[in-house]
């Protein structure tokens, strides 16, 4: 138990569907992240939110739309995805920018997405 | 961002000590070195972090030479459950949210 909870754990969707991934952190952190991990590839940083403001979007296609309503919740809205978007989507949180912290990332278990 | 280079894979046997070395020739003065462990279909998990010399915790040791251009993660007496991918990261700590980038990691396989 890392303090970061992701739902659903598994999701199968068609290319025309709209779905959302949810992440919740119970650690009091002020930064949250979405990473994508495809088979045999390194983790790719998709989005970063710090203090609920998006600070980084690493050229992610617009069919992925993040939402951070507060410091504890992060969503990834999915629409008109492609089969190559099938991957493990990982949410993480950290305490950003304060002295005395390691900046350690705490990851959820991930949401395994399959696009048909 | 300092680029890191580590072996793609390593094999060892139960009970052995495993050392994984990471090169980071362009490490900056404010950069820390952090290692994560990832099991299949799970998110990475923080193992250890250091700035210089040696750091030890209940899981591993981290050795950093004086020039800080490399670091070595040492896992004492590994078991089958240590089979995982190990990532070396270099960046400021506490880390700015946008600077936590993972490389390819080292796939460690432990055999009986």
């Amino acid at each position: 138990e890392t303090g970061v909870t992701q739902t659903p754990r598994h999701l199968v969707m068609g290319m025309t569907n709209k779905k959302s991934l949810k992440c919740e952190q119970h650690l009091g952190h002020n930064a949250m992240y979405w990473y994508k991990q495809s088979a045999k590839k390194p983790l790719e940083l998709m989005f970063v939110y710090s203090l609920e403001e998006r600070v980084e979007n690493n050229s992610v296609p617009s069919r992925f739309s993040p939402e951070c309503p507060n410091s504890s919740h992060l969503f990834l809205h999915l629409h008109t995805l492609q089969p190559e978007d099938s991957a493990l989507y990982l949410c993480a949180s950290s305490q950003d920018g304060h002295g005395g912290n390691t900046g350690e990332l705490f990851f959820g278990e991930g949401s395994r997405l399959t696009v048909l | 961002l300092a680029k890191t280079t580590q072996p793609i894979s390593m094999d060892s046997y139960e009970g052995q000590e495993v050392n994984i070395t990471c090169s980071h020739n362009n490490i900056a003065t404010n950069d820390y070195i952090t290692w994560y462990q990832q099991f299949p279909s799970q998110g990475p998990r923080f193992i250890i972090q250091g700035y210089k010399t040696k750091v030890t915790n209940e899981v591993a040791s981290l050795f950093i030479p004086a020039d800080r251009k490399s670091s070595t993660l040492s896992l004492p007496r590994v078991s089958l459950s240590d089979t995982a991918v190990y990532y070396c990261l270099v960046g400021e700590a506490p880390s700015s949210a946008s600077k936590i980038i993972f490389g390819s990691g080292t796939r460690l396989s432990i055999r009986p």
Side-chain angles (χ1 to χ4, degrees), chain B residues 8-90:
Chain B
I8 294 174
S9 64
M10 293 181 66
D11 296 322
S12 189
Y13 293 91
E14 282 191 293
Q16 298 294 305
E17 177 183 80
V18 171
N19 296 310
I20 306 174
T21 298
C22 179
S23 297
H24 27 79
N25 291 317
N26 297 322
I27 189 168
T29 303
N30 293 335
D31 286 344
Y32 281 67
I33 300 149
T34 310
W35 286 80
Y36 284 81
Q37 174 192 56
Q38 185 181 23
F39 298 115
S41 298
Q42 293 186 25
R45 183 175 69 113
F46 174 95
I47 301 176
I48 197 166
Q49 185 181 77
Y51 184 80
K52 62 181 179 180
T53 62
K54 177 184 174 182
V55 180
T56 297
N57 61 23
E58 65 277 6
V59 177
S61 294
L62 179 60
F63 298 92
I64 306 167
D67 66 6
R68 303 198 331 119
K69 292 184 183 298
S70 67
S71 58
T72 299
L73 175 72
S74 181
L75 305 172
R77 296 180 300 282
V78 293
S79 64
L80 295 175
S81 62
D82 292 313
T83 294
V85 178
Y86 292 82
Y87 297 95
C88 166
L89 285 70
V90 173

Coordinates of all heavy atoms in Angstrom, one line a residue, chain B residues 8-90:
Chain B
I8 N 21.7 -2.9 -19.5 CA 20.3 -3.2 -19.8 C 19.8 -4.4 -18.9 O 18.7 -4.4 -18.5 CB 20.2 -3.6 -21.3 CG1 20.5 -2.4 -22.2 CG2 18.9 -4.2 -21.6 CD1 20.6 -2.7 -23.6
S9 N 20.7 -5.3 -18.7 CA 20.3 -6.5 -17.9 C 21.5 -7.1 -17.1 O 22.7 -6.8 -17.5 CB 19.7 -7.6 -18.8 OG 20.7 -8.1 -19.7
M10 N 21.2 -7.8 -16.0 CA 22.2 -8.5 -15.2 C 21.5 -9.7 -14.7 O 20.3 -9.8 -14.4 CB 22.6 -7.6 -14.0 CG 23.4 -6.4 -14.4 SD 23.9 -5.4 -13.0 CE 25.1 -6.6 -12.2
D11 N 22.4 -10.8 -14.5 CA 21.9 -12.0 -13.9 C 22.7 -12.3 -12.7 O 23.9 -12.0 -12.6 CB 22.1 -13.2 -14.9 CG 21.2 -13.0 -16.1 OD1 20.1 -12.6 -15.9 OD2 21.6 -13.4 -17.2
S12 N 22.1 -12.9 -11.7 CA 22.9 -13.3 -10.5 C 22.1 -14.5 -9.8 O 21.1 -15.0 -10.4 CB 23.0 -12.2 -9.5 OG 23.9 -12.5 -8.5
Y13 N 22.7 -15.0 -8.7 CA 22.1 -16.1 -8.0 C 21.7 -15.7 -6.6 O 22.3 -14.8 -6.0 CB 23.1 -17.3 -8.0 CG 23.3 -17.9 -9.4 CD1 24.4 -17.4 -10.2 CD2 22.5 -18.9 -9.9 CE1 24.6 -17.9 -11.5 CE2 22.7 -19.4 -11.2 CZ 23.8 -18.9 -11.9 OH 24.0 -19.4 -13.2
E14 N 20.8 -16.5 -6.1 CA 20.4 -16.2 -4.7 C 21.5 -16.2 -3.7 O 22.5 -17.0 -3.9 CB 19.4 -17.3 -4.3 CG 18.0 -17.1 -4.8 CD 17.0 -18.1 -4.1 OE1 17.1 -19.3 -4.3 OE2 16.1 -17.6 -3.4
G15 N 21.5 -15.3 -2.8 CA 22.6 -15.3 -1.8 C 23.8 -14.4 -2.2 O 24.6 -14.1 -1.3
Q16 N 23.9 -14.0 -3.4 CA 25.0 -13.3 -3.9 C 24.8 -11.8 -3.6 O 23.6 -11.3 -3.4 CB 25.2 -13.4 -5.4 CG 25.5 -14.9 -5.8 CD 26.9 -15.3 -5.3 OE1 27.9 -14.7 -5.5 NE2 26.9 -16.4 -4.5
E17 N 25.8 -11.0 -3.6 CA 25.7 -9.5 -3.6 C 25.7 -9.1 -5.0 O 26.5 -9.5 -5.9 CB 26.9 -8.9 -2.9 CG 26.9 -7.4 -2.8 CD 28.1 -6.8 -2.2 OE1 29.2 -6.8 -2.9 OE2 28.0 -6.4 -1.0
V18 N 24.8 -8.2 -5.3 CA 24.6 -7.6 -6.7 C 25.0 -6.1 -6.7 O 24.4 -5.4 -5.8 CB 23.2 -7.9 -7.3 CG1 23.1 -7.1 -8.6 CG2 23.0 -9.3 -7.5
N19 N 25.8 -5.7 -7.6 CA 26.2 -4.3 -7.7 C 25.8 -3.8 -9.1 O 26.2 -4.4 -10.1 CB 27.7 -4.1 -7.5 CG 28.1 -4.5 -6.1 OD1 27.5 -4.0 -5.1 ND2 29.1 -5.3 -6.0
I20 N 24.9 -2.8 -9.2 CA 24.5 -2.2 -10.4 C 25.1 -0.8 -10.5 O 24.8 0.0 -9.6 CB 23.0 -2.1 -10.5 CG1 22.4 -3.5 -10.3 CG2 22.6 -1.6 -11.9 CD1 20.8 -3.5 -10.3
T21 N 25.9 -0.6 -11.5 CA 26.5 0.7 -11.7 C 25.8 1.6 -12.7 O 25.3 1.2 -13.7 CB 28.0 0.6 -12.1 OG1 28.7 -0.1 -11.0 CG2 28.7 1.9 -12.3
C22 N 25.7 2.9 -12.3 CA 25.1 3.9 -13.2 C 26.1 5.0 -13.5 O 26.7 5.5 -12.6 CB 23.8 4.4 -12.5 SG 22.9 5.7 -13.4
S23 N 26.2 5.4 -14.7 CA 27.1 6.5 -15.1 C 26.2 7.8 -15.3 O 25.2 7.7 -16.0 CB 27.8 6.2 -16.4 OG 28.6 5.1 -16.2
H24 N 26.7 8.8 -14.8 CA 26.0 10.1 -14.9 C 27.1 11.2 -15.0 O 27.3 12.0 -14.0 CB 25.0 10.4 -13.8 CG 25.3 9.7 -12.5 ND1 26.2 10.2 -11.6 CD2 24.8 8.6 -12.0 CE1 26.3 9.4 -10.6 NE2 25.4 8.4 -10.8
N25 N 27.8 11.3 -16.1 CA 29.0 12.1 -16.3 C 28.6 13.6 -16.2 O 29.5 14.4 -15.8 CB 29.6 11.9 -17.6 CG 30.3 10.5 -17.7 OD1 30.9 10.1 -16.7 ND2 30.1 9.8 -18.8
N26 N 27.4 14.0 -16.5 CA 27.0 15.4 -16.5 C 26.2 15.8 -15.3 O 25.5 16.8 -15.3 CB 26.2 15.7 -17.8 CG 27.0 15.5 -19.0 OD1 28.2 15.8 -19.1 ND2 26.4 15.0 -20.1
I27 N 26.4 15.1 -14.2 CA 25.7 15.4 -13.0 C 26.0 16.8 -12.5 O 27.1 17.3 -12.5 CB 26.0 14.4 -11.9 CG1 25.0 14.6 -10.7 CG2 27.4 14.4 -11.5 CD1 25.1 13.4 -9.7
A28 N 24.9 17.5 -12.1 CA 25.1 18.9 -11.6 C 25.3 19.0 -10.1 O 25.0 18.1 -9.4 CB 23.9 19.7 -12.1
T29 N 25.8 20.1 -9.7 CA 26.1 20.3 -8.3 C 24.9 20.0 -7.4 O 25.0 19.5 -6.3 CB 26.6 21.7 -8.0 OG1 27.7 22.0 -8.8 CG2 27.0 21.9 -6.6
N30 N 23.7 20.4 -7.8 CA 22.5 20.3 -7.0 C 21.8 18.9 -7.1 O 20.8 18.7 -6.5 CB 21.5 21.4 -7.3 CG 22.0 22.8 -6.9 OD1 22.8 22.9 -6.0 ND2 21.5 23.8 -7.6
D31 N 22.3 18.1 -8.0 CA 21.7 16.8 -8.3 C 21.9 15.8 -7.2 O 23.0 15.6 -6.7 CB 22.1 16.3 -9.6 CG 21.5 17.0 -10.8 OD1 20.6 17.7 -10.6 OD2 22.1 16.8 -11.9
Y32 N 20.8 15.0 -6.9 CA 20.9 13.8 -6.1 C 20.8 12.6 -7.0 O 20.3 12.7 -8.1 CB 19.8 13.8 -5.0 CG 20.1 14.7 -3.9 CD1 20.1 16.1 -4.0 CD2 20.3 14.2 -2.6 CE1 20.3 16.9 -2.9 CE2 20.5 15.0 -1.5 CZ 20.5 16.3 -1.7 OH 20.8 17.1 -0.6
I33 N 21.2 11.5 -6.5 CA 21.1 10.2 -7.2 C 20.0 9.3 -6.5 O 20.1 9.1 -5.3 CB 22.4 9.5 -7.3 CG1 23.4 10.4 -8.0 CG2 22.3 8.1 -8.0 CD1 24.9 10.2 -7.5
T34 N 19.0 8.9 -7.2 CA 18.0 8.1 -6.7 C 17.8 6.8 -7.4 O 17.9 6.8 -8.7 CB 16.6 8.9 -6.7 OG1 16.9 10.2 -6.2 CG2 15.5 8.3 -5.9
W35 N 17.5 5.8 -6.7 CA 17.2 4.5 -7.3 C 15.8 4.0 -7.0 O 15.4 4.1 -5.9 CB 18.2 3.4 -6.9 CG 19.6 3.6 -7.4 CD1 20.6 4.5 -7.0 CD2 20.2 2.9 -8.5 NE1 21.7 4.3 -7.8 CE2 21.5 3.3 -8.7 CE3 19.7 1.8 -9.4 CZ2 22.3 2.8 -9.7 CZ3 20.5 1.3 -10.3 CH2 21.8 1.8 -10.5
Y36 N 15.2 3.4 -8.0 CA 13.8 2.9 -7.9 C 13.9 1.4 -8.3 O 14.7 1.0 -9.2 CB 12.8 3.6 -8.7 CG 12.4 4.9 -8.2 CD1 13.1 6.1 -8.3 CD2 11.2 5.1 -7.4 CE1 12.8 7.3 -7.8 CE2 10.8 6.3 -6.9 CZ 11.6 7.4 -7.1 OH 11.2 8.6 -6.6
Q37 N 12.9 0.6 -7.8 CA 12.8 -0.8 -8.2 C 11.3 -1.0 -8.7 O 10.4 -0.4 -8.2 CB 12.9 -1.6 -6.9 CG 12.7 -3.1 -7.1 CD 12.6 -3.8 -5.7 OE1 11.8 -3.4 -4.9 NE2 13.4 -4.8 -5.5
Q38 N 11.2 -1.7 -9.8 CA 9.9 -1.9 -10.4 C 9.7 -3.4 -10.7 O 10.5 -4.0 -11.4 CB 9.7 -1.1 -11.7 CG 8.2 -1.3 -12.2 CD 8.0 -0.5 -13.4 OE1 8.9 -0.2 -14.2 NE2 6.7 -0.2 -13.7
F39 N 8.6 -4.0 -10.1 CA 8.2 -5.3 -10.4 C 7.2 -5.3 -11.6 O 6.5 -4.2 -11.8 CB 7.5 -6.0 -9.2 CG 8.5 -6.1 -8.0 CD1 8.3 -5.4 -6.8 CD2 9.6 -7.0 -8.1 CE1 9.1 -5.6 -5.8 CE2 10.5 -7.1 -7.0 CZ 10.2 -6.4 -5.9
P40 N 7.0 -6.4 -12.3 CA 6.1 -6.4 -13.4 C 4.7 -5.9 -13.0 O 4.2 -6.3 -12.0 CB 6.1 -7.9 -13.9 CG 7.4 -8.4 -13.4 CD 7.7 -7.7 -12.2
S41 N 4.1 -5.1 -13.8 CA 2.7 -4.6 -13.7 C 2.5 -3.9 -12.4 O 1.4 -3.9 -11.8 CB 1.7 -5.8 -13.8 OG 1.8 -6.4 -15.0
Q42 N 3.6 -3.3 -11.8 CA 3.4 -2.4 -10.7 C 4.2 -1.1 -10.9 O 5.0 -1.0 -11.8 CB 4.0 -3.1 -9.4 CG 3.3 -4.3 -8.9 CD 3.9 -4.8 -7.6 OE1 4.5 -4.1 -6.9 NE2 3.7 -6.1 -7.4
G43 N 3.9 -0.1 -10.1 CA 4.6 1.1 -10.2 C 6.0 1.0 -9.6 O 6.2 0.2 -8.7
P44 N 7.0 1.8 -10.0 CA 8.3 1.8 -9.3 C 8.2 2.1 -7.9 O 7.3 2.9 -7.4 CB 9.1 2.8 -10.1 CG 8.4 2.9 -11.4 CD 6.9 2.7 -11.1
R45 N 9.1 1.6 -7.1 CA 9.2 1.9 -5.7 C 10.6 2.5 -5.3 O 11.6 1.9 -5.7 CB 8.9 0.6 -4.9 CG 8.9 0.7 -3.4 CD 8.5 -0.7 -2.9 NE 9.6 -1.6 -3.0 CZ 10.3 -2.2 -2.0 NH1 10.1 -1.8 -0.8 NH2 11.2 -3.1 -2.3
F46 N 10.6 3.5 -4.6 CA 11.8 4.2 -4.1 C 12.7 3.2 -3.3 O 12.1 2.5 -2.4 CB 11.5 5.4 -3.3 CG 12.6 6.1 -2.6 CD1 13.2 7.2 -3.2 CD2 13.1 5.7 -1.4 CE1 14.3 7.8 -2.6 CE2 14.1 6.3 -0.7 CZ 14.7 7.4 -1.4
I47 N 14.0 3.1 -3.6 CA 14.9 2.3 -2.8 C 15.8 3.1 -2.0 O 15.8 2.9 -0.8 CB 15.8 1.4 -3.8 CG1 15.0 0.5 -4.7 CG2 16.7 0.5 -2.9 CD1 15.8 -0.3 -5.6
I48 N 16.5 4.0 -2.6 CA 17.5 4.7 -1.9 C 17.9 6.0 -2.6 O 17.7 6.1 -3.8 CB 18.8 3.8 -1.6 CG1 19.7 4.3 -0.5 CG2 19.5 3.6 -2.9 CD1 20.7 3.3 -0.1
Q49 N 18.4 7.0 -1.9 CA 18.9 8.2 -2.5 C 20.1 8.7 -1.8 O 20.3 8.5 -0.6 CB 17.8 9.3 -2.4 CG 18.1 10.6 -3.1 CD 17.0 11.6 -2.9 OE1 16.8 12.2 -1.8 NE2 16.2 11.8 -3.9
G50 N 21.0 9.3 -2.5 CA 22.2 9.9 -1.9 C 22.8 11.0 -2.7 O 22.4 11.3 -3.9
Y51 N 23.7 11.7 -2.1 CA 24.4 12.9 -2.7 C 25.9 12.6 -2.9 O 26.4 12.8 -4.0 CB 24.2 14.1 -1.9 CG 24.8 15.3 -2.6 CD1 24.1 16.0 -3.6 CD2 26.1 15.8 -2.2 CE1 24.7 17.1 -4.2 CE2 26.6 16.9 -2.8 CZ 25.9 17.6 -3.8 OH 26.5 18.6 -4.5
K52 N 26.5 12.0 -1.9 CA 27.9 11.7 -2.0 C 28.3 10.6 -1.0 O 27.5 10.3 -0.1 CB 28.8 12.9 -1.8 CG 28.7 13.5 -0.4 CD 29.6 14.7 -0.3 CE 29.5 15.4 1.1 NZ 30.4 16.6 1.2
T53 N 29.4 10.0 -1.2 CA 30.0 8.9 -0.3 C 29.1 7.7 -0.3 O 28.8 7.1 -1.3 CB 30.3 9.4 1.1 OG1 29.1 9.9 1.8 CG2 31.3 10.6 1.0
K54 N 28.6 7.3 0.9 CA 27.8 6.1 1.0 C 26.6 6.3 1.8 O 26.6 7.0 2.8 CB 28.7 5.0 1.7 CG 28.0 3.7 1.9 CD 28.9 2.8 2.7 CE 28.2 1.5 3.1 NZ 29.0 0.6 3.9
V55 N 25.5 5.7 1.3 CA 24.2 5.7 2.0 C 23.8 4.3 2.2 O 23.9 3.5 1.2 CB 23.2 6.5 1.3 CG1 21.9 6.5 2.0 CG2 23.6 7.9 1.0
T56 N 23.3 3.9 3.3 CA 22.8 2.6 3.6 C 21.5 2.6 4.2 O 21.2 3.4 5.2 CB 23.8 1.8 4.4 OG1 25.0 1.7 3.7 CG2 23.3 0.4 4.7
N57 N 20.6 1.7 3.8 CA 19.3 1.5 4.5 C 19.0 0.1 4.6 O 19.9 -0.8 4.4 CB 18.1 2.3 3.8 CG 17.9 1.8 2.4 OD1 18.2 0.7 2.0 ND2 17.3 2.7 1.6
E58 N 17.9 -0.3 5.0 CA 17.6 -1.7 5.3 C 17.5 -2.5 4.0 O 17.5 -3.8 4.1 CB 16.3 -1.8 6.1 CG 15.0 -1.4 5.4 CD 14.8 0.1 5.4 OE1 15.7 0.8 6.0 OE2 13.7 0.6 4.9
V59 N 17.4 -1.9 2.9 CA 17.3 -2.6 1.6 C 18.6 -2.7 0.8 O 18.9 -3.7 0.2 CB 16.2 -1.9 0.8 CG1 16.1 -2.6 -0.6 CG2 14.9 -1.9 1.5
A60 N 19.3 -1.6 0.8 CA 20.4 -1.5 -0.1 C 21.5 -0.5 0.4 O 21.2 0.2 1.4 CB 20.0 -1.1 -1.5
S61 N 22.6 -0.5 -0.3 CA 23.6 0.6 -0.1 C 23.9 1.3 -1.4 O 23.7 0.7 -2.5 CB 24.9 0.0 0.4 OG 24.7 -0.6 1.7
L62 N 24.2 2.5 -1.3 CA 24.5 3.3 -2.5 C 25.9 3.9 -2.3 O 26.1 4.6 -1.3 CB 23.5 4.4 -2.6 CG 23.6 5.4 -3.8 CD1 23.6 4.6 -5.1 CD2 22.5 6.4 -3.8
F63 N 26.8 3.6 -3.2 CA 28.2 4.1 -3.2 C 28.3 5.2 -4.3 O 28.1 4.9 -5.5 CB 29.1 3.0 -3.4 CG 29.1 1.9 -2.3 CD1 28.2 0.8 -2.5 CD2 29.8 2.0 -1.2 CE1 28.2 -0.2 -1.6 CE2 29.7 1.1 -0.2 CZ 28.9 -0.1 -0.4
I64 N 28.8 6.3 -3.9 CA 29.0 7.4 -4.8 C 30.5 7.9 -4.6 O 30.9 8.4 -3.6 CB 28.0 8.6 -4.5 CG1 26.6 8.1 -4.5 CG2 28.2 9.7 -5.5 CD1 25.6 9.0 -3.9
P65 N 31.3 7.9 -5.7 CA 32.7 8.3 -5.6 C 32.7 9.8 -5.5 O 31.7 10.5 -5.7 CB 33.3 7.8 -6.9 CG 32.2 7.7 -7.8 CD 31.0 7.3 -7.0
A66 N 33.9 10.3 -5.2 CA 34.1 11.8 -5.0 C 33.7 12.6 -6.2 O 33.1 13.7 -6.0 CB 35.5 12.0 -4.6
D67 N 33.9 12.1 -7.4 CA 33.6 12.9 -8.6 C 32.1 12.9 -8.9 O 31.7 13.6 -9.8 CB 34.5 12.5 -9.8 CG 34.2 11.1 -10.3 OD1 33.3 10.5 -9.8 OD2 34.9 10.7 -11.2
R68 N 31.4 12.0 -8.3 CA 29.9 11.8 -8.5 C 29.5 11.5 -9.9 O 28.4 11.6 -10.3 CB 29.2 13.1 -8.0 CG 29.5 13.4 -6.5 CD 28.5 14.3 -5.8 NE 27.9 15.3 -6.6 CZ 26.5 15.3 -6.8 NH1 25.8 14.4 -6.2 NH2 26.0 16.2 -7.5
K69 N 30.4 11.1 -10.7 CA 30.1 10.8 -12.1 C 29.5 9.4 -12.3 O 29.2 9.0 -13.4 CB 31.3 11.0 -13.0 CG 31.8 12.5 -13.1 CD 32.9 12.6 -14.1 CE 33.4 14.1 -14.1 NZ 32.4 15.0 -14.5
S70 N 29.5 8.6 -11.3 CA 28.8 7.3 -11.3 C 28.3 7.0 -9.9 O 28.7 7.7 -8.9 CB 29.8 6.3 -11.8 OG 30.8 6.1 -10.8
S71 N 27.5 6.0 -9.8 CA 27.1 5.5 -8.5 C 26.8 4.0 -8.7 O 26.6 3.5 -9.8 CB 25.8 6.2 -8.1 OG 24.8 6.1 -9.0
T72 N 26.9 3.3 -7.5 CA 26.7 1.9 -7.5 C 25.6 1.5 -6.5 O 25.8 1.8 -5.3 CB 28.0 1.1 -7.3 OG1 28.9 1.4 -8.3 CG2 27.7 -0.4 -7.2
L73 N 24.6 0.8 -6.9 CA 23.6 0.3 -6.0 C 24.0 -1.1 -5.7 O 24.3 -1.9 -6.5 CB 22.2 0.2 -6.7 CG 21.1 -0.4 -5.9 CD1 20.6 0.5 -4.8 CD2 19.9 -0.8 -6.8
S74 N 24.1 -1.4 -4.4 CA 24.5 -2.7 -3.9 C 23.4 -3.4 -3.2 O 22.9 -2.8 -2.2 CB 25.7 -2.5 -3.0 OG 26.2 -3.8 -2.5
L75 N 23.0 -4.5 -3.6 CA 22.0 -5.3 -3.0 C 22.6 -6.5 -2.3 O 23.2 -7.4 -3.0 CB 20.9 -5.8 -4.0 CG 20.3 -4.7 -4.9 CD1 19.5 -5.3 -6.0 CD2 19.4 -3.8 -4.0
P76 N 22.6 -6.6 -1.0 CA 23.3 -7.7 -0.3 C 22.5 -9.0 -0.3 O 21.2 -8.9 -0.1 CB 23.5 -7.2 1.1 CG 22.3 -6.2 1.3 CD 22.0 -5.6 -0.1
R77 N 23.0 -10.1 -0.6 CA 22.4 -11.4 -0.4 C 21.0 -11.4 -1.1 O 20.0 -11.5 -0.4 CB 22.3 -11.8 1.0 CG 23.6 -12.0 1.7 CD 23.4 -12.4 3.2 NE 22.7 -11.4 3.9 CZ 23.2 -10.2 4.4 NH1 24.5 -10.0 4.1 NH2 22.5 -9.4 5.1
V78 N 21.0 -11.3 -2.4 CA 19.7 -11.2 -3.1 C 19.0 -12.5 -3.0 O 19.5 -13.6 -2.9 CB 20.0 -10.8 -4.6 CG1 20.5 -9.4 -4.7 CG2 20.9 -11.8 -5.3
S79 N 17.6 -12.3 -3.2 CA 16.8 -13.5 -3.3 C 16.0 -13.4 -4.6 O 16.1 -12.4 -5.3 CB 15.8 -13.5 -2.1 OG 15.0 -12.4 -2.1
L80 N 15.2 -14.5 -4.9 CA 14.4 -14.5 -6.1 C 13.5 -13.3 -6.2 O 13.2 -12.8 -7.3 CB 13.6 -15.8 -6.2 CG 14.3 -17.1 -6.3 CD1 13.4 -18.3 -6.2 CD2 15.2 -17.1 -7.5
S81 N 13.0 -12.8 -5.1 CA 12.1 -11.7 -5.0 C 12.7 -10.3 -5.4 O 12.0 -9.3 -5.5 CB 11.4 -11.5 -3.7 OG 12.4 -11.3 -2.7
D82 N 14.0 -10.3 -5.6 CA 14.7 -9.1 -6.0 C 14.8 -9.0 -7.5 O 15.3 -8.0 -8.1 CB 16.2 -9.1 -5.5 CG 16.2 -8.9 -3.9 OD1 15.5 -8.0 -3.4 OD2 16.9 -9.7 -3.3
T83 N 14.2 -10.0 -8.2 CA 14.1 -9.9 -9.7 C 13.2 -8.8 -10.0 O 12.0 -8.8 -9.6 CB 13.6 -11.2 -10.2 OG1 14.5 -12.3 -10.0 CG2 13.3 -11.1 -11.7
A84 N 13.7 -7.8 -10.7 CA 12.9 -6.6 -11.0 C 13.8 -5.7 -12.0 O 14.9 -6.0 -12.3 CB 12.7 -5.8 -9.7
V85 N 13.2 -4.6 -12.3 CA 13.9 -3.6 -13.1 C 14.3 -2.5 -12.1 O 13.5 -2.0 -11.3 CB 13.1 -3.0 -14.2 CG1 13.9 -1.9 -15.0 CG2 12.7 -4.1 -15.2
Y86 N 15.6 -2.0 -12.2 CA 16.1 -1.0 -11.3 C 16.5 0.2 -12.1 O 17.2 0.1 -13.1 CB 17.4 -1.6 -10.6 CG 17.0 -2.7 -9.6 CD1 16.8 -4.0 -10.0 CD2 16.8 -2.4 -8.2 CE1 16.4 -5.0 -9.2 CE2 16.4 -3.4 -7.4 CZ 16.2 -4.7 -7.8 OH 15.8 -5.7 -7.0
Y87 N 16.0 1.3 -11.7 CA 16.2 2.6 -12.4 C 17.1 3.5 -11.6 O 16.9 3.7 -10.3 CB 14.9 3.3 -12.6 CG 13.9 2.6 -13.5 CD1 12.9 1.8 -12.9 CD2 13.9 2.7 -14.9 CE1 12.0 1.1 -13.7 CE2 13.0 2.1 -15.7 CZ 12.0 1.3 -15.1 OH 11.1 0.6 -15.9
C88 N 18.0 4.1 -12.2 CA 18.9 5.2 -11.7 C 18.4 6.5 -12.2 O 18.3 6.7 -13.4 CB 20.3 4.9 -12.1 SG 21.5 6.2 -11.8
L89 N 18.1 7.4 -11.3 CA 17.7 8.8 -11.7 C 18.6 9.8 -11.1 O 19.1 9.7 -10.0 CB 16.3 9.1 -11.2 CG 15.1 8.4 -11.9 CD1 15.0 6.9 -11.7 CD2 13.8 9.1 -11.5
V90 N 18.8 10.9 -11.8 CA 19.6 12.0 -11.3 C 18.8 13.3 -11.5 O 18.3 13.6 -12.5 CB 21.0 12.1 -12.1 CG1 21.7 13.3 -11.7 CG2 21.8 10.9 -11.8

